RNA sequence: GCACCGGUAGCUCAGCUGGAUAGAGCACUGGUCUUCGGAACCAGGUGUCGCAGGUUCGAAUCCUGCCCGGUGUACCA
């Protein structure tokens, strides 16, 4: 359609233009263009006059049932029935076809509890991976975990004290308590590090041992707790509705590759400063950062370089995405700039997507003090709310509500998480959409085979059909900038539109039953497809 | 100090590749319905779009300055 209008402009005025169409209020039409307003100066005519000339030229096109000029010079186009119906079946254009992309869809550290912030990150990562896949890319979901360093030292400090030389004390922690147990161990170690000089010294040594353990007991506890952590992480991430990852990267593996890369690029990229090897990020819009410590130990930044190397060996991606909290934004800017210097041929291959924070309306969240909102608690809250309504609170339903809450705000912004609101199940929530889908399916259950997919439409169908026709462009818009929230907004509007339709137009038993059932099928399929991109299950009943 | 992100209705947020009276949800008030599943639908808004300039036929949207909040600012991750 854009081309049709562009051709018309070319034909009338001999000017090449890019036509951007907008969706006006339904009263004006299905699409609108302001091209006449933009051309007014160039052509030297009144914009309304130009609009009228273009409108006259477009009138003959059979895809348009009506072309009008309104306001200061908008061209409003109403589509013909067949053109509008055709749009409802249009697939999004796969703009990333042929690309290979690696993306981290979760990266909680072992030895710490997984909390709501990790869930947020994992859900965003998984959904962005979905968007990338829908846009045609070959997507590899990976995870990356910090299994070495200071936080390990802090946990090991408390764990070794808890064990008191007896490994079986650790081993006997019941499965259900492990997440909070680890959380507590970390918090205790963290507090000791802050308050007690002797403990601090010991923790530094224990952190060092995460690279090279000195005792058999250390290895036993470290290995077991790491294993527990990954079991927990995998279980929770699956429960959240994430698709499984294909590879787990570890900092302990990335470390020596990274250190090697850094050392090899001194002094070209990295410089020695006070014994450490640093990258002058300040010359690249970031900050100067140490990659290798003065004791020769690799730091987080070196490991991220090593990770890039490992990802390349493993997947040869054209692009590589890392989703993190915004507090790491400047840090990644530096690492990515350094990588661009080290591997100029892969410059800008890695992209960091910074997210906001999850804030709770009630109480604070701090992983340092062990005062965290654990994900299982959140699941329980949702479960209770659903059961009050006598609904079946399966993990899929709960995860749907939770994911939607995270995804409906624009990425990068903070999510203010009001448990009561999230759990309310009314209004713009995942539950509303899931319920809307279940309702539609129940209508179809009552109709045996009397369904014809719509080839025509009546006045009462138009609003819903028009909304359905916006699906494809909404998805394209969403994956262009990797912003899932557009799909949330759209699906909510779609479901509202359907609920209105449903209130006014009886399907089962009506003389238009077959036709209307076809529209219900179209709607249910669209809703399901949109929810699938968000990683939300569309239930048959609930 | 410098850098990045944010400031839109009582609350939580869309809208920001400039366009037609600035939109949703929540909350609040009233209504619909002998439920194709009421987790529904309908009606009800006097908003300094943080402030001040600028660009433009036109600015919530672009530019500049300022104010407020958050985050970051090398040997933690």
């Amino acid at each position: 359609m854009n081309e049709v209008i562009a051709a018309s402009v070319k034909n009338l005025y001999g000017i090449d233009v890019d036509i951007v169409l907008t969706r006006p209020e339904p009263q004006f039409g299905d699409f609108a263009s302001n091209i006449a307003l933009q051309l007014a100066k160039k052509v030297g005519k009144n914009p309304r006059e130009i609009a009228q000339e273009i409108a006259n030229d477009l009138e003959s096109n059979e895809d348009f049932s009506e072309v009008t000029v309104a306001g200061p010079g908008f061209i409003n186009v109403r589509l013909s029935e067949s053109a509008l119906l055709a749009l409802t079946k249009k697939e999004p254009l796969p703009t990333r076809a042929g690309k290979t992309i690696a993306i981290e869809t979760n990266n909680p550290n072992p030895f710490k509890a997984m909390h709501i912030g990790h869930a947020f990150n994992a859900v965003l990562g998984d959904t962005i991976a979905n968007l990338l896949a829908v846009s045609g890319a070959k997507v590899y979901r990976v995870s990356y975990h910090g299994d070495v360093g200071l936080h390990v030292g802090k946990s090991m400090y408390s764990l070794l004290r808890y064990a008191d030389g007896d490994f079986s004390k650790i081993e006997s922690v019941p499965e259900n308590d492990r997440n909070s147990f680890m959380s507590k161990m970390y918090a205790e170690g963290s507090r000791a590090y802050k308050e007690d000089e002797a403990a601090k010294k010991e923790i530094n040594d224990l952190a060092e041992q995460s690279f090279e353990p000195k005792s058999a007991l250390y290895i036993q506890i470290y290995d077991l707790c790491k294993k527990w952590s990954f079991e927990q992480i995998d279980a929770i991430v699956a429960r959240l509705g994430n698709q499984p990852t294909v590879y787990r990267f570890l900092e302990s593996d990335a470390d020596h590759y990274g250190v090697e890369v850094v050392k090899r690029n001194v002094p070209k990229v990295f410089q020695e400063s006070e014994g450490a090897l640093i990258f002058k990020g300040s010359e690249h819009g970031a900050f100067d950062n140490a990659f290798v410590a003065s004791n020769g130990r690799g730091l987080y930044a070196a490991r991220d370089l090593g990770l890039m190397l490992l990802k390349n060996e493993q997947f040869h991606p054209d692009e590589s995405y890392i989703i993190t909290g915004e507090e790491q934004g400047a840090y990644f800017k530096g690492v990515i700039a350094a990588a661009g210097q080290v591997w100029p041929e892969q410059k800008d291959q890695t992209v960091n997507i910074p997210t906001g924070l999850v804030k709770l309306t009630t109480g604070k969240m701090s992983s340092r003090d062990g005062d965290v909102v654990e994900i299982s608690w959140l699941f329980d809250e949702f479960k209770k709310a659903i059961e009050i309504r006598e609904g079946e609170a399966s993990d899929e339903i709960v995860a749907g509500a939770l994911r939607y809450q995270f995804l409906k705000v624009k990425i990068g912004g903070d999510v203010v998480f009001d448990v009561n609101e999230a759990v309310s199940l009314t209004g713009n929530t995942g539950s509303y959409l899931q319920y809307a889908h279940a309702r539609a399916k129940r209508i179809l259950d009552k109709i045996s085979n009397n369904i014809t997919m719509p080839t025509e439409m009546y006045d009462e169908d138009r609003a819903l059909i028009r909304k359905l026709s916006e699906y494809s462009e909404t998805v394209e818009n969403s994956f262009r900038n990797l912003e899932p929230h557009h799909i949330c907004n759209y699906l909510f509007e779609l479901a509202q539109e359907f609920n209105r339709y449903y209130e006014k137009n009886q399907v089962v038993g009506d003389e238009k039953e077959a036709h209307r059932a076809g529209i219900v099928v179209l709607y249910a399929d669209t809703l399901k497809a949109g929810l699938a991109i968000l990683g939300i299950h569309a239930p048959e009943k609930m």
Side-chain angles (χ1 to χ4, degrees), chain A residues 360-376:
Chain A
L360 295 172
T361 47
T362 48
K364 268 186 304 195
M365 183 173 62
S366 158
S367 94
R368 278 188 311 280
D369 306 328
D371 175 24
V372 295
V373 171
E374 287 182 26
I375 295 157
S376 56

Side-chain angles (χ1 to χ4, degrees), chain A residues 75-341:
Chain A
I75 301 165
N76 291 320
V77 174
R78 194 174 297 276
L79 292 182
S80 69
E81 280 187 16
S82 57
L84 194 60
L85 283 167
L87 262 191
T88 64
K89 292 165 208 133
K90 195 177 160 232
E91 293 289 325
L93 280 172
T95 50
R96 291 190 181 83
K99 279 198 174 169
T100 299
I101 296 176
I103 176 168
E104 287 176 22
T105 59
N106 73 75
N107 49 20
N109 285 339
F111 301 98
K112 279 167 140 176
M114 206 176 152
H115 57 72
I116 190 170
H118 293 116
F120 180 50
N121 206 274
V123 167
L124 285 175
D126 182 65
T127 305
I128 288 170
N130 287 342
L131 286 173
L132 291 166
V134 172
S135 66
K138 171 74 191 149
V139 177
Y140 293 102
R141 288 156 204 263
V142 303
S143 65
Y144 180 53
H145 311 269
D147 60 343
V148 286
L150 186 62
H151 70 284
V152 179
K154 288 175 180 173
S155 290
M156 287 303 294
Y157 174 83
S158 321
L159 286 164
L160 285 164
R161 265 172 178 60
Y162 186 90
D164 194 22
D166 182 0
F167 180 56
S168 68
K169 283 187 185 166
I170 303 277
E171 259 182 317
S172 61
V173 173
E175 195 172 340
N176 287 336
D177 298 345
R178 284 175 196 162
N179 202 32
S180 42
F181 171 70
M182 305 268 273
S183 176
K184 208 174 113 202
M185 291 294 104
Y186 175 75
E188 278 179 23
S190 192
R191 191 166 48 240
Y193 188 82
K194 219 164 27 184
E195 291 168 3
D196 179 349
E197 267 307 310
K200 184 173 176 177
K201 224 175 147 193
E202 189 181 338
I203 287 169
N204 281 330
D205 176 63
L206 292 168
E208 189 65 19
Q209 286 195 53
S210 64
F211 297 91
E212 285 156 27
K214 290 180 193 158
S215 79
L217 183 61
Y218 188 107
I219 295 173
Q220 272 185 312
I221 294 176
Y222 176 89
D223 286 347
L224 181 66
C225 289
K226 186 156 130 182
K227 181 168 154 274
W228 281 356
S229 288
F230 289 145
E231 282 169 6
Q232 288 282 333
I233 290 167
D234 291 346
I236 290 170
V237 157
R239 218 176 163 199
L240 287 166
N242 273 26
Q243 288 185 36
T245 51
V246 296
Y247 198 86
R248 193 196 305 285
F249 290 104
L250 299 174
E251 285 191 22
S252 54
D253 294 331
D255 188 68
H256 80 270
Y257 290 97
V259 171
E260 215 171 89
V261 168
V262 171
K263 285 184 175 161
R264 221 186 310 128
N265 287 277
V266 175
K268 205 180 77 193
V269 180
F270 302 95
Q271 284 83 44
E272 201 183 317
S273 168
E274 297 171 31
L277 301 178
I278 68 152
F279 176 70
K280 295 213 165 154
S282 57
E283 292 167 8
H284 300 84
F287 56 88
D288 294 354
N289 194 12
F291 279 52
V292 175
S294 46
N295 64 7
R297 196 51 86 192
L299 297 166
Y300 187 47
R303 284 172 222 148
D304 265 311
L305 285 184
L307 175 63
M308 289 180 195
L309 204 64
L310 292 174
K311 282 177 178 170
N312 278 328
E313 276 178 12
Q314 197 79 226
F315 303 109
H316 310 287
D318 299 302
E319 291 167 13
S320 176
Y321 289 88
I322 301 173
I323 290 94
T324 64
E326 64 167 352
E327 69 277 7
Q328 298 198 47
Y331 160 79
F332 268 104
K333 203 167 182 181
V335 172
I336 288 167
Q341 303 273 305

